PDB file of all heavy atoms in Angstrom:
ATOM      1  N   TYR A 137      34.630 185.884  82.424  1.00  0.00           N
ATOM      2  CA  TYR A 137      33.759 185.219  81.455  1.00  0.00           C
ATOM      3  C   TYR A 137      34.563 184.156  80.725  1.00  0.00           C
ATOM      4  O   TYR A 137      35.796 184.197  80.703  1.00  0.00           O
ATOM      5  CB  TYR A 137      33.139 186.212  80.470  1.00  0.00           C
ATOM      6  CG  TYR A 137      34.127 186.774  79.467  1.00  0.00           C
ATOM      7  CD1 TYR A 137      34.269 186.206  78.203  1.00  0.00           C
ATOM      8  CD2 TYR A 137      34.927 187.867  79.783  1.00  0.00           C
ATOM      9  CE1 TYR A 137      35.178 186.716  77.285  1.00  0.00           C
ATOM     10  CE2 TYR A 137      35.821 188.388  78.886  1.00  0.00           C
ATOM     11  CZ  TYR A 137      35.953 187.812  77.635  1.00  0.00           C
ATOM     12  OH  TYR A 137      36.858 188.311  76.739  1.00  0.00           O
ATOM     13  N   ARG A 138      33.829 183.231  80.145  1.00  0.00           N
ATOM     14  CA  ARG A 138      34.441 182.171  79.339  1.00  0.00           C
ATOM     15  C   ARG A 138      33.528 181.875  78.164  1.00  0.00           C
ATOM     16  O   ARG A 138      32.305 181.960  78.278  1.00  0.00           O
ATOM     17  CB  ARG A 138      34.638 180.905  80.163  1.00  0.00           C
ATOM     18  CG  ARG A 138      35.623 181.077  81.287  1.00  0.00           C
ATOM     19  CD  ARG A 138      35.820 179.804  82.065  1.00  0.00           C
ATOM     20  NE  ARG A 138      36.737 180.072  83.172  1.00  0.00           N
ATOM     21  CZ  ARG A 138      36.839 179.326  84.239  1.00  0.00           C
ATOM     22  NH1 ARG A 138      36.081 178.242  84.367  1.00  0.00           N
ATOM     23  NH2 ARG A 138      37.692 179.619  85.190  1.00  0.00           N
ATOM     24  N   PHE A 139      34.150 181.501  77.052  1.00  0.00           N
ATOM     25  CA  PHE A 139      33.398 181.023  75.895  1.00  0.00           C
ATOM     26  C   PHE A 139      33.491 179.505  75.856  1.00  0.00           C
ATOM     27  O   PHE A 139      34.562 178.939  76.101  1.00  0.00           O
ATOM     28  CB  PHE A 139      33.958 181.602  74.597  1.00  0.00           C
ATOM     29  CG  PHE A 139      33.553 183.022  74.343  1.00  0.00           C
ATOM     30  CD1 PHE A 139      34.456 184.057  74.466  1.00  0.00           C
ATOM     31  CD2 PHE A 139      32.247 183.319  73.975  1.00  0.00           C
ATOM     32  CE1 PHE A 139      34.081 185.367  74.223  1.00  0.00           C
ATOM     33  CE2 PHE A 139      31.856 184.625  73.739  1.00  0.00           C
ATOM     34  CZ  PHE A 139      32.773 185.649  73.862  1.00  0.00           C
ATOM     35  N   TYR A 140      32.366 178.867  75.552  1.00  0.00           N
ATOM     36  CA  TYR A 140      32.303 177.408  75.519  1.00  0.00           C
ATOM     37  C   TYR A 140      31.752 176.938  74.180  1.00  0.00           C
ATOM     38  O   TYR A 140      30.788 177.510  73.663  1.00  0.00           O
ATOM     39  CB  TYR A 140      31.361 176.885  76.612  1.00  0.00           C
ATOM     40  CG  TYR A 140      31.843 177.122  78.019  1.00  0.00           C
ATOM     41  CD1 TYR A 140      31.575 178.324  78.665  1.00  0.00           C
ATOM     42  CD2 TYR A 140      32.551 176.142  78.705  1.00  0.00           C
ATOM     43  CE1 TYR A 140      32.008 178.547  79.959  1.00  0.00           C
ATOM     44  CE2 TYR A 140      32.986 176.360  80.007  1.00  0.00           C
ATOM     45  CZ  TYR A 140      32.710 177.564  80.624  1.00  0.00           C
ATOM     46  OH  TYR A 140      33.140 177.789  81.908  1.00  0.00           O
ATOM     47  N   ASP A 141      32.349 175.861  73.657  1.00  0.00           N
ATOM     48  CA  ASP A 141      31.714 175.142  72.561  1.00  0.00           C
ATOM     49  C   ASP A 141      30.516 174.412  73.156  1.00  0.00           C
ATOM     50  O   ASP A 141      30.503 174.097  74.357  1.00  0.00           O
ATOM     51  CB  ASP A 141      32.682 174.128  71.937  1.00  0.00           C
ATOM     52  CG  ASP A 141      33.771 174.799  71.115  1.00  0.00           C
ATOM     53  OD1 ASP A 141      33.459 175.776  70.406  1.00  0.00           O
ATOM     54  OD2 ASP A 141      34.932 174.335  71.191  1.00  0.00           O
ATOM     55  N   LEU A 142      29.519 174.124  72.330  1.00  0.00           N
ATOM     56  CA  LEU A 142      28.294 173.518  72.851  1.00  0.00           C
ATOM     57  C   LEU A 142      28.550 172.217  73.594  1.00  0.00           C
ATOM     58  O   LEU A 142      27.958 171.971  74.650  1.00  0.00           O
ATOM     59  CB  LEU A 142      27.293 173.296  71.723  1.00  0.00           C
ATOM     60  CG  LEU A 142      26.834 174.540  70.958  1.00  0.00           C
ATOM     61  CD1 LEU A 142      25.721 174.180  69.997  1.00  0.00           C
ATOM     62  CD2 LEU A 142      26.429 175.654  71.875  1.00  0.00           C
ATOM     63  N   HIS A 143      29.448 171.376  73.088  1.00  0.00           N
ATOM     64  CA  HIS A 143      29.701 170.085  73.734  1.00  0.00           C
ATOM     65  C   HIS A 143      30.434 170.230  75.073  1.00  0.00           C
ATOM     66  O   HIS A 143      30.486 169.297  75.861  1.00  0.00           O
ATOM     67  CB  HIS A 143      30.477 169.147  72.798  1.00  0.00           C
ATOM     68  CG  HIS A 143      31.893 169.560  72.570  1.00  0.00           C
ATOM     69  ND1 HIS A 143      32.253 170.482  71.622  1.00  0.00           N
ATOM     70  CD2 HIS A 143      33.029 169.182  73.193  1.00  0.00           C
ATOM     71  CE1 HIS A 143      33.559 170.665  71.658  1.00  0.00           C
ATOM     72  NE2 HIS A 143      34.055 169.876  72.606  1.00  0.00           N
ATOM     73  N   GLU A 144      30.980 171.419  75.372  1.00  0.00           N
ATOM     74  CA  GLU A 144      31.692 171.658  76.631  1.00  0.00           C
ATOM     75  C   GLU A 144      30.764 172.137  77.748  1.00  0.00           C
ATOM     76  O   GLU A 144      31.146 172.129  78.916  1.00  0.00           O
ATOM     77  CB  GLU A 144      32.771 172.730  76.445  1.00  0.00           C
ATOM     78  CG  GLU A 144      33.855 172.368  75.473  1.00  0.00           C
ATOM     79  CD  GLU A 144      34.793 173.543  75.224  1.00  0.00           C
ATOM     80  OE1 GLU A 144      34.320 174.675  74.984  1.00  0.00           O
ATOM     81  OE2 GLU A 144      36.019 173.304  75.294  1.00  0.00           O
ATOM     82  N   LEU A 145      29.568 172.566  77.396  1.00  0.00           N
ATOM     83  CA  LEU A 145      28.660 173.162  78.378  1.00  0.00           C
ATOM     84  C   LEU A 145      28.100 172.107  79.331  1.00  0.00           C
ATOM     85  O   LEU A 145      27.714 171.020  78.909  1.00  0.00           O
ATOM     86  CB  LEU A 145      27.503 173.873  77.672  1.00  0.00           C
ATOM     87  CG  LEU A 145      27.866 175.154  76.952  1.00  0.00           C
ATOM     88  CD1 LEU A 145      26.742 175.568  76.009  1.00  0.00           C
ATOM     89  CD2 LEU A 145      28.167 176.266  77.953  1.00  0.00           C
ATOM     90  N   LYS A 146      28.060 172.483  80.607  1.00  0.00           N
ATOM     91  CA  LYS A 146      27.383 171.664  81.618  1.00  0.00           C
ATOM     92  C   LYS A 146      26.298 172.525  82.223  1.00  0.00           C
ATOM     93  O   LYS A 146      26.498 173.708  82.519  1.00  0.00           O
ATOM     94  CB  LYS A 146      28.355 171.205  82.704  1.00  0.00           C
ATOM     95  CG  LYS A 146      29.117 169.965  82.338  1.00  0.00           C
ATOM     96  CD  LYS A 146      29.772 169.383  83.572  1.00  0.00           C
ATOM     97  CE  LYS A 146      30.190 167.958  83.324  1.00  0.00           C
ATOM     98  NZ  LYS A 146      30.787 167.365  84.521  1.00  0.00           N
ATOM     99  N   CYS A 147      25.148 171.911  82.441  1.00  0.00           N
ATOM    100  CA  CYS A 147      23.992 172.627  82.977  1.00  0.00           C
ATOM    101  C   CYS A 147      23.919 172.431  84.489  1.00  0.00           C
ATOM    102  O   CYS A 147      24.459 171.481  85.027  1.00  0.00           O
ATOM    103  CB  CYS A 147      22.716 172.108  82.319  1.00  0.00           C
ATOM    104  SG  CYS A 147      22.743 172.270  80.516  1.00  0.00           S
ATOM    105  N   TRP A 148      23.232 173.336  85.143  1.00  0.00           N
ATOM    106  CA  TRP A 148      23.076 173.309  86.601  1.00  0.00           C
ATOM    107  C   TRP A 148      21.595 173.151  86.918  1.00  0.00           C
ATOM    108  O   TRP A 148      20.733 173.558  86.141  1.00  0.00           O
ATOM    109  CB  TRP A 148      23.664 174.568  87.233  1.00  0.00           C
ATOM    110  CG  TRP A 148      23.278 175.824  86.530  1.00  0.00           C
ATOM    111  CD1 TRP A 148      22.234 176.662  86.831  1.00  0.00           C
ATOM    112  CD2 TRP A 148      23.896 176.383  85.370  1.00  0.00           C
ATOM    113  NE1 TRP A 148      22.167 177.702  85.936  1.00  0.00           N
ATOM    114  CE2 TRP A 148      23.187 177.552  85.015  1.00  0.00           C
ATOM    115  CE3 TRP A 148      24.975 176.014  84.570  1.00  0.00           C
ATOM    116  CZ2 TRP A 148      23.509 178.358  83.934  1.00  0.00           C
ATOM    117  CZ3 TRP A 148      25.301 176.810  83.480  1.00  0.00           C
ATOM    118  CH2 TRP A 148      24.580 177.963  83.180  1.00  0.00           C
ATOM    119  N   PRO A 149      21.289 172.557  88.068  1.00  0.00           N
ATOM    120  CA  PRO A 149      19.891 172.259  88.407  1.00  0.00           C
ATOM    121  C   PRO A 149      19.153 173.456  89.020  1.00  0.00           C
ATOM    122  O   PRO A 149      18.797 173.463  90.188  1.00  0.00           O
ATOM    123  CB  PRO A 149      20.016 171.100  89.397  1.00  0.00           C
ATOM    124  CG  PRO A 149      21.323 171.370  90.082  1.00  0.00           C
ATOM    125  CD  PRO A 149      22.216 171.978  89.031  1.00  0.00           C
ATOM    126  N   ALA A 150      18.943 174.464  88.205  1.00  0.00           N
ATOM    127  CA  ALA A 150      18.177 175.656  88.599  1.00  0.00           C
ATOM    128  C   ALA A 150      17.634 176.287  87.325  1.00  0.00           C
ATOM    129  O   ALA A 150      17.990 175.868  86.219  1.00  0.00           O
ATOM    130  CB  ALA A 150      19.058 176.637  89.368  1.00  0.00           C
ATOM    131  N   GLY A 151      16.791 177.294  87.461  1.00  0.00           N
ATOM    132  CA  GLY A 151      16.074 177.887  86.336  1.00  0.00           C
ATOM    133  C   GLY A 151      16.894 178.132  85.085  1.00  0.00           C
ATOM    134  O   GLY A 151      16.566 177.643  84.007  1.00  0.00           O
ATOM    135  N   THR A 152      17.996 178.891  85.194  1.00  0.00           N
ATOM    136  CA  THR A 152      18.772 179.196  83.992  1.00  0.00           C
ATOM    137  C   THR A 152      19.508 177.970  83.472  1.00  0.00           C
ATOM    138  O   THR A 152      19.755 177.857  82.273  1.00  0.00           O
ATOM    139  CB  THR A 152      19.762 180.356  84.239  1.00  0.00           C
ATOM    140  OG1 THR A 152      20.606 180.029  85.346  1.00  0.00           O
ATOM    141  CG2 THR A 152      19.023 181.657  84.503  1.00  0.00           C
ATOM    142  N   GLY A 153      19.849 177.041  84.356  1.00  0.00           N
ATOM    143  CA  GLY A 153      20.474 175.794  83.916  1.00  0.00           C
ATOM    144  C   GLY A 153      19.510 174.945  83.098  1.00  0.00           C
ATOM    145  O   GLY A 153      19.895 174.313  82.109  1.00  0.00           O
ATOM    146  N   TYR A 154      18.242 174.950  83.505  1.00  0.00           N
ATOM    147  CA  TYR A 154      17.225 174.218  82.733  1.00  0.00           C
ATOM    148  C   TYR A 154      16.980 174.900  81.385  1.00  0.00           C
ATOM    149  O   TYR A 154      16.736 174.233  80.378  1.00  0.00           O
ATOM    150  CB  TYR A 154      15.927 174.102  83.526  1.00  0.00           C
ATOM    151  CG  TYR A 154      16.074 173.301  84.793  1.00  0.00           C
ATOM    152  CD1 TYR A 154      15.618 173.801  86.006  1.00  0.00           C
ATOM    153  CD2 TYR A 154      16.676 172.043  84.792  1.00  0.00           C
ATOM    154  CE1 TYR A 154      15.758 173.071  87.180  1.00  0.00           C
ATOM    155  CE2 TYR A 154      16.818 171.309  85.957  1.00  0.00           C
ATOM    156  CZ  TYR A 154      16.363 171.829  87.149  1.00  0.00           C
ATOM    157  OH  TYR A 154      16.503 171.102  88.304  1.00  0.00           O
TER     158      TYR A 154
END
Side-chain angles (χ1 to χ4, degrees):
Y137 72 95
R138 295 181 183 160
F139 282 108
Y140 293 86
D141 287 320
L142 300 187
H143 70 276
E144 297 173 313
L145 289 166
K146 276 195 163 182
C147 302
W148 46 95
T152 56
Y154 296 130

